[in-house]
Every structure is written in C-alpha cells, then in structure tokens.
Amino acid sequence: MFSFQHAQNNGPKPHQESAFQRVSVNLSGRLMLANRDEFDCTAVDMSPGDVLFSSPARPRAGERIIAYIEHVGRLEGTVSRLAEHAFVIQLNATERKREKLAAQLTWIANKHELGLPEDRRHDRLVPRKVLTELTLGNGEKYACRLIDLSLSGAAIDIENRPAIGTPVKLGTMKGKIVRHFQEGVAIEFSGIQSREALAEFL
C-alpha cells in the first residue's frame, strides 16, 4: 500500500524535490503558460511537491504554470527542470493543499487494493473540504479525511475502523462500511447522492 511521507514545511512555498515520494500516474489535463497560451498535457508522475508533465508546451525555466488535471484539479507551480517534450514544475501550495494532494495521490496509487474498478458507476469528484467527521449509529464521532468521493460512496482515512456493515453518517449522508484498506475504510451511501448533497465537500 502506497503512502506519502509528509514534509515539515509551512506556507505556500516551493518544496525541495527530495521532500516527497513520487508516484507514477497517467492523468490528462490542460495547462497554461505565463503568456496565457494553453496546451494539452499529461501528468506522468507526481508528488505533493512536484509534477512531471509530458506536453507540447515549451516553457522557460522558472516560468509560472497553471494546470487543471483530471481527478486532482488546479495545480500551480514554477518550472524547475526541462527535457525534450517534458518538464517538471515545483508546486506552490500551502501545507493543507499538499495534504489534500497527498490523499488524492494515495487513492490513485492504491485504488486497485480498494477493489474499485476503473469503470466505477459514478465518476470521482475532487473534494475541496477533506477534513470531516464520521458518525456511528450510537452517536460516536471520529475525525477523518476524505480520500475519494463519488455520488455513490467515499473512501476515508481514519484510525478507528468500524466493522464492515456498520451503519454510518459521513457529514449528513447515510451509508455503511463496505471495505477496509490500510489507511481507512470505504463507505457505500444508502442511495445515489446529488451533487447538491455533496456540496459541503466540493
């Protein structure tokens, strides 16, 4: 099971490249150069601190890049290394943003272990609010972190793992525990949720 090592930085500053582990990904997106020209791109590998892009774009070293990547969302950083048809950006992000990105990348790296196929019934949504509470039927509440969210369920990072089949509430949404994995549990909602119902997380 893949898990990121968090660096001890604070504030929206570029990371040191050795501060995080990288994971291989294949996520498509669009990026914008400093002159506002836009290009298709693919995130080839990434960490909560940097991203290797394959793209026809030809940025300069130190140039500011804004990218929108599937399953991850908006990323911003500066070009630190250049190669043929590829380049690396160091991300400018707060520690909170890095933690959120670490959770998203942990999900991407480990999704096969959760038993969730690529063609899931509902597309994953990118949560903006990742810290929330899980409530058990007896009223006990546990702090948790969202790893993954869709209209039919969620995966959360949580220390206390209720038994499979336990009825729970994630925020205001009712469901049950359907799977355990190393970082936490997977929840299946009692019914298909609307995007409005998930608004508190998006």
Side-chain angles (χ1 to χ4, degrees):
M1 177 68 76
F2 190 95
S3 183
F4 285 97
Q5 299 297 318
H6 294 274
Q8 301 299 314
N9 0 346
N10 294 301
K13 54 188 177 182
H15 83 302
Q16 296 179 350
E17 289 199 31
S18 61
F20 295 98
Q21 292 176 283
R22 283 186 178 180
V23 59
S24 293
V25 296
N26 183 28
L27 303 175
S28 61
R30 292 278 290 175
L31 62 81
M32 184 173 70
L33 303 182
N35 64 3
R36 297 189 177 275
D37 286 348
E38 295 190 12
F39 297 87
D40 290 333
C41 65
T42 301
V44 178
D45 70 31
M46 52 193 308
S47 79
D50 61 6
V51 186
L52 171 62
F53 285 113
S54 172
S55 174
R58 294 293 175 267
R60 303 179 308 276
E63 183 171 352
R64 178 172 175 262
I65 302 292
I66 296 174
Y68 290 87
I69 306 301
E70 65 173 342
H71 305 315
V72 174
R74 185 182 190 275
L75 299 173
E76 180 181 335
T78 54
V79 176
S80 61
R81 282 188 287 144
L82 295 166
E84 187 175 2
H85 306 301
F87 57 91
V88 174
I89 69 168
Q90 291 188 4
L91 297 177
N92 292 319
T94 62
E95 187 66 19
R96 181 173 180 272
K97 171 68 174 177
R98 292 191 200 283
E99 289 178 358
K100 174 185 172 183
L101 184 56
Q104 291 168 324
L105 292 178
T106 297
W107 166 260
I108 291 167
N110 295 326
K111 60 188 175 184
H112 64 284
E113 294 197 30
L114 302 181
L116 297 172
E118 293 294 335
D119 58 343
R120 292 179 64 188
R121 289 177 297 158
H122 300 96
D123 289 341
R124 291 196 301 272
L125 305 173
V126 178
R128 296 185 184 278
K129 176 189 174 186
V130 296
L131 298 178
T132 185
E133 284 187 333
L134 185 72
T135 305
L136 305 188
N138 61 7
E140 291 181 6
K141 296 179 183 291
Y142 297 95
C144 62
R145 183 186 302 275
L146 274 175
I147 297 174
D148 172 77
L149 183 67
S150 77
L151 302 185
S152 56
I156 60 172
D157 183 341
I158 189 171
E159 290 187 13
N160 185 308
R161 299 180 195 175
I164 291 174
T166 300
V168 295
K169 282 175 62 176
L170 183 67
T172 59
M173 296 172 294
K174 294 181 179 180
K176 64 180 180 180
I177 305 298
V178 292
R179 195 172 297 108
H180 289 179
F181 56 98
Q182 184 168 328
E183 279 79 18
V185 299
I187 300 167
E188 181 179 276
F189 297 141
S190 299
I192 303 305
Q193 305 296 310
S194 66
R195 281 182 175 264
E196 289 72 24
L198 304 180
E200 66 175 297
F201 302 111
L202 302 177

